[in-house]
Amino acid sequence: MKPRKSEDPLPGRAAALLIVLCVSGMRAETARYSVPEEAERGSFVANIAKDLGLTGEELLARQARVVPEGEKQYLQLNKHTGDLVVREQMDREELCGQSEPCL
């Protein structure tokens, strides 16, 4: 049996790896927080800048944003301070239905 030849030559793979390594410094950070469903609008959840080890200025320069999984934006980020607050009160039944656990 003949060994299968790769479609990409080795230099191409090395260049791709180099690009991945260079871009890896600009990676996205993911953070998860627990928020009680009874939390009122404007309730403090966390300081994203502090949790990521950044200043508010760095957070603003990196164009940080909250990306919702559904239609509604339940959380709001103050890009100047890094504070994450409740934008809209959450309803467990609306979000998860009868599924357990609700994440």
Side-chain angles (χ1 to χ4, degrees), residues 80-98:
H80 297 281
T81 64
D83 287 344
L84 185 66
V85 297
V86 174
R87 180 176 181 199
E88 187 172 328
Q89 195 170 22
M90 296 174 209
D91 179 17
R92 185 201 176 290
E93 285 79 23
E94 184 181 324
L95 289 170
C96 299
Q98 298 300 317

Side-chain angles (χ1 to χ4, degrees), residues 8-16:
D8 280 342
L10 186 56
R13 287 185 185 175

Side-chain angles (χ1 to χ4, degrees), residues 15-66:
L17 178 60
L18 183 60
I19 291 170
V20 169
L21 292 175
C22 291
V23 175
S24 67
M26 300 182 332
R27 68 188 191 281
E29 294 287 337
T30 301
R32 293 181 184 257
Y33 297 94
S34 296
V35 180
E37 71 176 290
E38 301 85 23
E40 296 292 326
R41 202 172 235 208
S43 297
F44 178 81
V45 176
N47 185 290
I48 299 287
K50 183 188 283 185
D51 292 348
L52 296 175
L54 302 171
T55 65
E57 292 171 357
E58 290 172 316
L59 203 63
L60 186 60
R62 292 178 184 217
Q63 300 176 350
R65 61 190 175 280
V66 176

